[in-house]
Amino acid sequence: MTPAVQLRTGEEPYPGYRLRRLIGRGGFAEVWAAQTADGRPVALKFLPAGNRRAISREVRALQVVQNLHHPNLVRVERIWCHLGYIVVAMELADGSLQDVRDVFRKDFGTPVNAELVCQFLRQAAAAIDFLNLPCSEDGERRAAIHHGDVKPSNLLLFGDTVKLADFGLASLKAAHAIWQTPAGTLAYAAPEVYQGRVSDRTDQFALAVTYCELRGGRLPFPNAPPGFRRHYVPPPPDLTMLTAREVPVIARALSPMPADRWPSCTEMMDRLSQVVG
């Protein structure tokens, strides 16, 4: 396997795609803003090919998502190999909901206002529900998809449109619930993830944590363990950052048992929109 080389501004990792600037680096990947030969901006995600297990999982998920069409899913254009990397070309975002959170904190000294959070997360909910429910694509039945890493930095902004991105932990669900190796971002992980299970309501838990962070400026479970411990039981969530009308809606979405949560993320966000409007 060819070792990954250092990427530089101005390079063309694929004919017609020229690197412009590094956007971010996280985990084991880099994301660059690039420009196509006709001047169109794109984002290129570079995954070092040496991590074969992680790469194969992400590529499989991307190949599935590449064939899906939804206004709130980031569009994947092309996947190829380049000098020790797997490269994923996708549409270039203006920023993420993490950036929105940081701007409000820096410029106004407050969390994001409730109406704006609902406007953004209603769109995220539509994408999550679309993935989590089996449906037909071009006449063929597809399995449900568990995203596995819903959080502000993976919810990208394109103008006023929010799109769900980063499918490195996505998995197909042929059944209502499946067993798998615990993975994801600890602060957003549902209790069942620690036990190696995911369901069609696991991503809802992460969306509810995201709501708390954007709306209240902090997490409802501030002392998550340093790693996935199978017998970890989270304490009751601290929802004092929310109003009395928001609390029961989010508390239900954060229920330890998936069956006790809302039937869908959209229903959760509809209820929140009613109580904050």
Side-chain angles (χ1 to χ4, degrees):
M1 180 70 67
T2 304
V5 300
Q6 184 175 357
L7 301 167
R8 301 182 186 278
T9 300
E11 290 182 351
E12 277 196 27
Y14 190 86
Y17 289 83
R18 187 173 299 278
L19 299 182
R20 292 305 185 194
R21 60 185 173 86
L22 177 66
I23 298 175
R25 182 182 291 114
F28 57 92
E30 289 185 2
V31 179
W32 284 72
Q35 192 173 45
T36 63
D38 60 3
R40 182 171 53 86
V42 294
L44 299 182
K45 182 176 183 179
F46 291 84
L47 303 138
N51 192 333
R52 297 189 179 186
R53 182 176 180 180
I55 289 297
S56 61
R57 177 173 180 168
E58 178 149 0
V59 169
R60 284 197 301 271
L62 284 168
Q63 288 172 335
V64 172
V65 173
Q66 190 175 17
N67 295 320
L68 302 182
H69 303 285
H70 190 277
N72 300 112
L73 289 178
V74 167
R75 187 178 67 255
V76 176
E77 296 184 0
R78 184 189 298 271
I79 306 171
W80 71 89
C81 297
H82 170 73
L83 297 178
Y85 293 99
I86 302 297
V87 189
V88 182
M90 62 194 82
E91 52 188 331
L92 179 64
D94 300 318
S96 71
L97 293 193
Q98 180 172 289
D99 298 326
V100 173
R101 179 204 65 185
D102 294 344
V103 167
F104 268 77
R105 183 178 296 168
K106 179 181 178 182
D107 293 354
F108 307 110
T110 67
V112 186
N113 67 71
E115 292 79 6
L116 189 57
V117 173
C118 285
Q119 175 187 324
F120 287 151
L121 294 193
R122 279 175 65 89
Q123 299 178 65
I128 294 169
D129 288 344
F130 173 75
L131 292 177
N132 273 266
L133 294 175
C135 68
S136 297
E137 291 289 330
D138 298 326
E140 294 186 7
R141 190 77 172 170
R142 71 157 174 86
I145 299 171
H146 166 66
H147 182 273
D149 205 17
V150 175
K151 57 184 178 181
S153 61
N154 285 339
L155 294 169
L156 304 186
L157 274 172
F158 298 79
D160 293 329
T161 300
V162 171
K163 297 189 180 187
L164 182 60
D166 199 340
F167 300 93
L169 297 178
S171 56
L172 296 178
K173 299 200 306 291
H176 177 72
I178 61 171
W179 293 91
Q180 66 178 36
T181 303
T185 303
L186 288 160
Y188 303 85
E192 63 269 20
V193 175
Y194 286 83
Q195 301 163 13
R197 295 184 295 113
V198 298
S199 79
D200 56 353
R201 301 184 188 183
T202 298
D203 286 330
Q204 180 186 140
F205 187 99
L207 187 67
V209 174
T210 296
Y211 182 90
C212 292
E213 183 178 8
L214 295 175
R215 174 73 182 91
R218 59 182 174 81
L219 298 167
F221 303 99
N223 299 312
F228 284 106
R229 298 172 179 171
R230 185 173 183 84
H231 299 294
Y232 170 71
V233 178
D238 177 2
L239 300 180
T240 54
M241 80 288 280
L242 304 178
T243 66
R245 299 183 70 189
E246 293 168 288
V247 167
V249 182
I250 291 298
R252 178 174 174 179
L254 296 177
S255 296
M257 298 299 295
D260 293 335
R261 297 171 197 157
W262 294 97
S264 70
C265 292
T266 297
E267 188 168 339
M268 178 187 81
M269 292 311 305
D270 284 346
R271 190 62 59 91
L272 284 168
S273 297
Q274 293 170 10
V275 302
V276 303

